[in-house]
Amino acid sequence: FRELDVVIQREVIRRAIGVAAGKLKDVDREHVEMIRGLLDKNVGRRCHLPYQLQAVRTYEGISIKRETAGEERISPGICIDVRAPGNYTIPGPGVIVELSVKESFKNEEIPINRYTKWFDYDKIKKCPVIRTRKPGDYLTIADGRGGMIHKSLKSYLVDQKIPQAERDRLPILAEGEHVLWVVGYRISEYYKVTENTKRILKVQLIRKEFA
């Protein structure tokens, strides 16, 4: 985009706004220039546009969307009773959590699935909660020397270049402040299934926007 002639840049932006808004009647050059200016701004900077749109500087470039888009959050503090496997419907944007417990995989390989994870059932001592992030949350990660260390969830999300708006509505599964699973990303090393695991908790999140 930066290599394009300025005239073409402006036309690309106008068309992008038109796609998002469905019309261009109240869009003028000032709005287009504000968006062009975002390219030189820090991630997270934004400007407001007609038709309840906003342009946001992201790690990938610039996102143009409605201001109300993606504002739904998972209701905080929903306890998932691991002693009672089954389906739980989470208030919010249509989230269903499916729990099941099985014996260890033994010689089987653990499947790879972005929205289904497996945990060492017997390491979970409290009632895990599906919620959004809060101060003090942390993950346990490998230290590269055979041990484990704590890493703040905030640092992890920044390292993964996850946009600010997404961080605030990203569902996590946590036991107190210890994050078992950043949904769609990684799980904590502490809760991973090992050769010594006797029982496995399978957690699957089903959500419209994950499809």
Side-chain angles (χ1 to χ4, degrees):
F1 182 84
R2 291 181 184 275
E3 295 175 355
L4 297 175
D5 183 87
V6 173
V7 174
I8 299 177
Q9 287 184 358
R10 289 170 178 157
E11 182 60 23
V12 169
I13 291 172
R14 279 180 56 81
R15 293 192 182 191
I17 296 173
V19 170
K23 49 190 171 182
L24 285 167
K25 181 180 177 181
D26 298 317
V27 177
D28 56 32
R29 182 164 178 166
E30 179 184 357
H31 299 122
V32 172
E33 290 306 309
M34 284 195 303
I35 295 175
R36 287 187 64 240
L38 284 177
L39 283 172
D40 299 318
K41 303 294 184 181
N42 294 330
V43 171
R45 293 294 296 274
R46 64 192 64 212
C47 63
H48 300 281
L49 305 168
Y51 310 117
Q52 294 184 312
L53 296 180
Q54 64 176 341
V56 183
R57 181 69 166 94
T58 67
Y59 286 102
E60 295 79 18
I62 295 175
S63 169
I64 299 175
K65 60 183 181 180
R66 294 197 178 276
E67 293 188 341
T68 55
E71 295 301 323
E72 287 184 306
R73 295 166 63 105
I74 287 181
S75 179
I78 303 300
C79 181
I80 305 299
D81 189 350
V82 296
R83 297 167 298 178
N87 291 350
Y88 292 77
T89 299
I90 306 301
V95 180
I96 298 175
V97 178
E98 183 178 282
L99 301 182
S100 60
V101 178
K102 62 171 286 182
E103 299 302 313
S104 66
F105 282 101
K106 297 179 181 177
N107 295 324
E108 303 174 50
E109 287 189 10
I110 300 176
I112 298 175
N113 189 303
R114 190 175 184 187
Y115 296 110
T116 303
K117 296 299 178 185
W118 291 261
F119 305 91
D120 190 320
Y121 179 88
D122 296 299
K123 287 186 176 179
I124 302 172
K125 306 302 180 183
K126 302 176 184 177
C127 179
V129 171
I130 289 281
R131 58 174 174 79
T132 48
R133 66 174 182 157
K134 65 179 184 180
D137 286 340
Y138 68 91
L139 288 157
T140 300
I141 63 173
D143 64 2
R145 300 187 298 273
M148 293 184 287
I149 58 173
H150 290 176
K151 184 182 183 71
S152 74
L153 177 61
K154 179 179 180 180
S155 296
Y156 171 74
L157 297 179
V158 170
D159 290 347
Q160 294 300 305
K161 299 187 181 340
I162 299 173
Q164 178 74 37
E166 185 179 344
R167 295 178 216 166
D168 291 335
R169 66 189 186 94
L170 190 67
I172 64 171
L173 177 66
E175 182 180 24
E177 295 180 339
H178 194 167
V179 177
L180 282 77
W181 180 21
V182 182
V183 177
Y185 293 91
R186 68 169 297 162
I187 68 174
S188 175
E189 290 287 330
Y190 176 77
Y191 296 98
K192 278 188 174 180
V193 174
T194 70
E195 59 183 12
N196 298 318
T197 298
K198 296 179 180 178
R199 291 183 294 176
I200 293 172
L201 174 68
K202 175 185 175 182
V203 182
Q204 181 175 12
L205 259 68
I206 306 169
R207 182 175 174 182
K208 289 181 181 178
E209 67 186 65
F210 292 164

